[in-house]
Amino acid sequence: MMYSSRRKPVLYFKEDRRFWSGKCTVYKLFGLCMVLVLVSLLWLQLSCTGDMSRVVVDDGRIPHQPCPLERQASAVEDPSWGPHKLALLIPFRERFEELLVFVPFMHTFLNNKKILHKIFVINQMDHYRFNRASLINVGYTESGNDTDYIAMHDVDLLPLNEALDYGFPEEGPFHVASPELHPLYHYKTYVGGILLLTKQHYHMCNGMSNRFWGWGREDDEFYRRLRTAGLQLFRPSGIKTGYKTFRHIHDPAWRKRDQKRVAAQKQEQFKVDPEGGLTNLQYKVESRQELTISGAPVTVLNIKLECDTDKTPWCLLN
């Protein structure tokens, strides 16, 4: 007899009833236990934070549910990869669409190049204006002793040329996103986008100035710090892809930059900050979260910066 597809659930229901009919056996109980175990494992897999695309954020914090430690493990640390380990620092606020692309892309890119690494998202949660430099200072401070060099990396800039060097910059700071390659910024003293430094060299500069609230100028001030510290800046050579070396995924129409200059900020933005940096950095770590995004492990530091409104009143946008 032929049955329509609409009647199949009824047939399955009758089969389920036959399972319970008659005397209950040890085999049936064992089978039921196995089903419950499989369902539990499936629930754990789906509820863990591997799929960040389903996360809802309501207060600037990136929420999560704890994942098993094996889910958080990075690539196997093969000794042939070398002794150095990179702390990839991402200053961040509310750019989740870009983050979902960036983290798995960079994790794969660095693994393919056999670069030991740990990705840090320094998420600014306070109500002050965005301060990229201070967040990088926080990332450097919180990155731990198992990493020995850092990458100051914009979340909207993806390297497309595998010849780009992300290795240990022993001789001096290495500007990966050089003016000859960056899709937008081409002036000679530009050191933004992607800059690699040993932790020793970053400490020699006293980090970055904490005076730059809002978008821009902190990189230009840091260039002066590099020169003051006597560090030679290196840039890629032999890269033939020009301005197509990187993919810039920022949408200015959707994510407008905070370029306003408030009060004395117009004059102060061009000055060197001889004392500020790691030595006067003030912040609080609200939480530290170990997440995965499409299988890529990432450490999220939820940070609240502090601002001295007498010295930098432009941290508040009136």
Side-chain angles (χ1 to χ4, degrees):
M1 180 181 295
M2 298 296 292
Y3 295 93
S4 67
S5 59
R6 294 171 60 185
R7 292 184 61 183
K8 286 184 178 180
V10 177
L11 294 177
Y12 291 139
F13 178 73
K14 288 181 179 181
E15 292 174 359
D16 291 340
R17 291 185 61 184
R18 287 198 297 271
F19 177 83
W20 294 105
S21 63
K23 186 177 180 179
C24 183
T25 66
V26 174
Y27 298 104
K28 292 179 181 179
L29 289 176
F30 177 76
L32 180 60
C33 291
M34 292 300 296
V35 170
L36 291 175
V37 170
L38 291 174
V39 170
S40 299
L41 291 174
L42 179 61
W43 176 85
L44 180 62
Q45 178 78 9
L46 294 176
S47 62
C48 192
T49 49
D51 187 3
M52 284 292 294
S53 62
R54 297 180 298 171
V55 171
V56 177
V57 179
D58 57 1
D59 63 350
R61 185 192 304 271
I62 301 179
H64 77 293
Q65 297 177 7
C67 296
L69 292 179
E70 58 267 25
R71 284 289 308 278
Q72 299 173 5
S74 59
V76 177
E77 298 189 357
D78 189 326
S80 67
W81 288 26
H84 302 292
K85 188 172 183 179
L86 169 68
L88 185 66
L89 308 181
I90 310 168
F92 180 83
R93 175 183 267 177
E94 297 179 350
R95 295 169 70 171
F96 298 100
E97 298 87 352
E98 296 169 5
L99 187 68
L100 294 176
V101 175
F102 179 89
V103 170
F105 180 94
M106 288 305 303
H107 182 61
T108 300
F109 182 87
L110 294 173
N111 278 345
N112 289 341
K113 295 181 69 64
K114 294 187 175 183
I115 301 293
L116 294 178
H117 63 279
K118 191 171 185 179
I119 301 176
F120 293 88
V121 175
I122 307 96
N123 179 34
Q124 184 175 342
M125 294 179 57
D126 54 71
H127 298 294
Y128 297 120
R129 299 171 71 189
F130 185 67
N131 192 322
R132 177 178 178 270
S134 289
L135 294 177
I136 292 173
N137 285 341
V138 172
Y140 164 86
T141 304
E142 297 290 335
S143 58
N145 295 327
D146 60 333
T147 58
D148 55 359
Y149 71 113
I150 66 172
M152 302 155 51
H153 212 303
D154 288 351
V155 71
D156 58 7
L157 200 60
L158 304 178
L160 301 181
N161 191 325
E162 293 186 357
L164 290 169
D165 188 2
Y166 274 73
F168 186 73
E170 184 172 3
E171 296 181 358
F174 186 74
H175 187 209
V176 181
S178 67
E180 297 81 12
L181 304 176
H182 195 285
L184 296 179
Y185 306 114
H186 308 140
Y187 57 95
K188 293 182 179 180
T189 58
Y190 176 67
V191 292
I194 310 168
L195 181 64
L196 308 181
L197 299 95
T198 67
K199 285 190 169 182
Q200 179 183 3
H201 288 162
Y202 193 77
H203 187 268
M204 287 172 58
C205 297
N206 192 24
M208 303 185 77
S209 171
N210 299 303
R211 295 175 58 85
F212 292 88
W213 301 89
W215 182 83
R217 298 296 183 186
E218 75 283 345
D219 292 323
D220 297 335
E221 201 272 350
F222 189 67
Y223 174 80
R224 298 182 182 182
R225 290 179 178 234
L226 295 175
R227 296 188 61 182
T228 300
L231 295 172
Q232 182 178 354
L233 181 67
F234 294 86
R235 286 177 168 142
S237 61
I239 303 296
K240 305 299 183 181
T241 45
Y243 298 150
K244 295 182 179 180
T245 304
F246 300 94
R247 178 187 172 198
H248 192 243
I249 59 176
H250 178 77
D251 184 355
W254 176 250
R255 298 284 186 188
K256 294 183 181 291
R257 302 189 190 277
D258 176 12
Q259 295 179 297
K260 293 184 179 180
R261 297 293 180 259
V262 181
Q265 186 180 14
K266 295 180 181 179
Q267 293 74 37
E268 294 293 329
Q269 66 180 339
F270 296 105
K271 296 181 180 179
V272 176
D273 181 10
E275 299 179 357
L278 296 173
T279 50
N280 69 345
L281 175 66
Q282 297 183 21
Y283 68 97
K284 179 181 178 181
V285 179
E286 287 291 301
S287 64
R288 185 185 185 103
Q289 303 170 336
E290 303 294 336
L291 310 179
T292 56
I293 301 178
S294 299
V298 57
T299 299
V300 178
L301 303 174
N302 291 308
I303 303 298
K304 285 188 176 180
L305 299 175
E306 297 182 13
C307 172
D308 186 341
T309 54
D310 292 331
K311 294 182 178 180
T312 56
W314 52 85
C315 65
L316 298 170
L317 190 58
N318 299 325

